[in-house]
Amino acid sequence: MPVVVVVGAQWGDEGKGAMVDTLAKEADIVVRFQGGANAGHTVIYKGKPVALHLIPSGITHEHTVCVIGNGVVVDPKALLDEIEALSSLGISITPERLKISDRAHLTLPYHRMLDAAREMAGSRLRLGTTRRGVGPTYVDKVDRVGIRVGDLKFPERLETKLRINWEHKQAFFNALPPDERPDFNAVLDELLKYAELIQPYITDTVTWLNEQADAGRRILLEGAQGTGLDVDFGTYPFVTSSNTTAGGACTGSGLPPTKINFVLGIAKAYTTRVGEGPFPTELQGEEQVKLREKGREYGATTGRPRRCGWFDAVLVRYAATVNGCTALALTKLDVLSGYPEVKICVAYRWRGEMLTTFPAESFILEEVEPVYETLPGWDEPLSECRSWEKLPANAQRFVMRLQELVGVPIATVSVGPERSCVLTKPDAPSIW
Ligand code: IMP
């Protein structure tokens, strides 16, 4: 199965980074296809956690080529900082190992300002974004005033490009106090400096990736965020600005649907979300704090505490459908050890109705009451388990029930952050 897509089946932070890292061992190429420096994947390298925001998780494996696809929005400063941080850990970043699409859009310094300004403009506009300028960069892309990575190859044309984008932002700049307004020449100089540093990595990744796929190379397409944050399928408007689902893997890489062989959805054994927006199974008070502490649920990018709740089978079933998941990988099962009972949301009750599908309207999701099925828990810590057979019977029963409710085979179960903690179920479909 040479082309595999990995996507989040919840609201992000499902542990995709660690799964991709495990799969990348056997991959030739790992591709990011959407999002920007809003993503935060933590992988373990030589026993140390490494937070990645733009560069695909495969970078820690020497043999893998990493690609930042056309669907990604690239903050050049964040990218260069990340290259430097990885280099200081001894991970060599060369143009042979990192390729950046000439069609990817650039996040400009004032995109972050625009993101923050919207967040601070009032509670009705607030989305709880990561303030990394991702939304405003995609706005410019769709409004056809964006600057692309490929434009950095032609410094003599950059000024004109920036001028167009600058004019587009006049109303915003004029509303700022004069001492906070960015300076055109300073931004241009900064871009020219980045242009020189980023040039060697710029590639026609669409052609390159298709050639690699045709040559039978194993390609892993790594999604950021999750289905609940997809701009079309998620809890709009409380979403990110890109297609986080499997369709986005095609539009964000240039690899067509006919070349995708396997879609792996990643779901945590419970649910978390950061930022604003509906969350039907969110726990309250002490119960939420307990799960957050047990799961160490704090954002990799912003450090924000994540909202926590029980597994929502309505959401994950919907995710399995819109992504066409071949299988699911279940992560952080170990976190549920010690609960006398574990819960699964199997439906929503809304104004006297029973909903078994995921509604489009966020206000309905705000109002629903989750309908839970309760299963017996397990006391044993799981972090030492190294095979599916070694899991306590109640933990296995929980996983099997999730599989039944979601309607897709669960291929692996993770019981800890290390690569050895990913347990493969005996009946798992083979990924590669
Ligand atoms: P943005 O992507 O920064 O515009 O933020 C939009 C929404 O997506 C907010 O609710 C963020 O908290 C959420 N979000 C963005 N990136 C991630 C991520 O990597 N994990 C989880 N949530 C994210």
Side-chain angles (χ1 to χ4, degrees):
M1 294 276 191
V3 184
V4 175
V5 179
V6 175
V7 286
Q10 293 156 326
W11 279 290
D13 309 317
E14 298 92 349
K16 294 178 295 295
M19 275 312 297
V20 169
D21 188 42
T22 303
L23 290 171
K25 252 195 316 197
E26 289 155 12
D28 299 306
I29 300 160
V30 184
V31 188
R32 269 284 303 273
F33 57 82
Q34 45 72 229
N38 52 351
H41 289 177
T42 307
V43 295
I44 309 285
Y45 179 70
K46 294 192 176 160
K48 284 195 195 141
V50 188
L52 299 169
H53 300 287
L54 274 164
I55 296 181
S57 310
I59 201 73
T60 57
H61 300 280
E62 266 165 40
H63 67 280
T64 355
V65 180
C66 289
V67 175
I68 297 182
N70 58 279
V72 176
V73 292
V74 179
D75 179 334
K77 182 171 183 323
L79 175 75
L80 292 166
D81 286 350
E82 207 165 307
I83 292 178
E84 204 179 298
L86 288 166
S87 307
S88 73
L89 289 173
I91 301 173
S92 92
I93 314 284
T94 59
E96 285 69 44
R97 293 217 52 213
L98 177 67
K99 301 189 185 295
I100 306 173
S101 171
D102 46 7
R103 291 176 170 87
H105 279 247
L106 283 174
T107 296
L108 303 170
Y110 48 86
H111 282 135
R112 282 183 182 235
M113 293 169 69
L114 276 155
D115 200 347
R118 181 199 162 129
E119 285 294 290
M120 291 185 296
S123 58
R124 290 221 257 180
L125 280 176
R126 211 183 118 73
L127 299 171
T129 73
T130 58
R131 301 191 184 195
R132 296 297 189 271
V134 168
T137 313
Y138 280 116
V139 168
D140 278 2
K141 170 178 176 173
V142 176
D143 211 0
R144 293 147 297 176
V145 292
I147 301 183
R148 307 203 293 183
V149 169
D151 294 325
L152 298 176
K153 288 196 296 187
F154 307 99
E156 69 286 358
R157 291 168 49 91
L158 261 182
E159 182 169 350
T160 314
K161 289 262 174 187
L162 185 62
R163 188 74 64 193
I164 295 168
N165 192 281
W166 196 265
E167 279 168 20
H168 187 260
K169 303 289 174 303
Q170 278 316 296
F172 171 65
F173 292 156
N174 289 340
L176 291 173
D179 61 329
E180 285 179 27
R181 287 180 199 158
D183 175 73
F184 182 87
N185 287 322
V187 175
L188 180 62
D189 285 350
E190 203 177 323
L191 269 185
L192 289 168
K193 189 182 76 187
Y194 297 145
E196 215 176 291
L197 297 168
I198 292 175
Q199 279 261 13
Y201 304 102
I202 305 175
T203 308
D204 171 2
T205 54
V206 175
T207 304
W208 188 80
L209 278 173
N210 275 284
E211 284 167 2
Q212 301 305 309
D214 293 343
R217 301 275 189 294
R218 288 178 168 185
I219 304 178
L220 196 58
L221 294 147
E222 171 186 11
Q225 293 90 40
T227 304
L229 291 169
D230 184 284
V231 68
D232 283 275
F233 303 113
T235 46
Y236 192 89
F238 302 101
V239 290
T240 191
S241 305
S242 60
N243 283 115
T244 59
T245 41
C250 296
T251 54
S253 69
L255 287 168
T258 43
K259 285 188 180 154
I260 309 280
N261 309 105
F262 198 105
V263 179
L264 181 68
I266 315 288
K268 246 186 311 219
Y270 50 97
T271 315
T272 62
R273 146 159 233 176
V274 273
E276 309 297 315
F279 181 176
T281 62
E282 183 171 17
L283 289 166
Q284 302 300 327
E286 287 290 293
E287 281 192 307
Q288 160 139 225
V289 174
K290 179 178 169 188
L291 189 49
R292 180 181 303 133
E293 293 311 316
K294 275 171 81 76
R296 292 181 299 281
E297 294 293 350
Y298 292 89
T301 301
T302 57
R304 290 181 290 179
R306 295 178 185 142
R307 300 156 65 192
C308 300
W310 292 115
F311 189 92
D312 184 343
V314 183
L315 167 67
V316 180
R317 185 164 55 230
Y318 169 70
T321 304
V322 296
N323 288 295
C325 289
T326 322
L328 273 192
L330 192 73
T331 61
K332 296 187 99 166
L333 184 65
D334 53 308
V335 172
L336 296 185
S337 287
Y339 279 99
E341 290 180 327
V342 283
K343 291 187 184 181
I344 308 168
C345 168
V346 294
Y348 305 137
R349 198 171 288 117
W350 182 67
R351 299 186 184 175
E353 252 182 87
M354 201 66 107
L355 308 181
T356 52
T357 56
F358 198 71
E361 297 80 6
S362 275
F363 86 89
I364 297 182
L365 280 165
E366 291 281 7
E367 287 180 18
V368 296
E369 189 196 321
V371 177
Y372 286 116
E373 195 172 291
T374 303
L375 271 69
W378 58 92
D379 261 338
E380 305 88 323
L382 306 186
S383 49
E384 301 300 318
C385 289
R386 287 296 172 271
S387 70
W388 164 259
E389 291 76 16
K390 295 260 164 61
L391 288 174
N394 283 350
Q396 288 188 359
R397 196 185 305 170
F398 176 73
V399 175
M400 295 312 288
R401 183 62 182 138
L402 296 188
Q403 173 169 294
E404 193 177 13
L405 287 164
V406 173
V408 162
I410 292 180
T412 61
V413 173
S414 318
V415 294
E418 283 87 30
R419 285 172 199 159
S420 59
C421 297
V422 180
L423 319 181
T424 303
K425 265 203 11 296
D427 56 348
S430 129
I431 292 176
W432 290 119

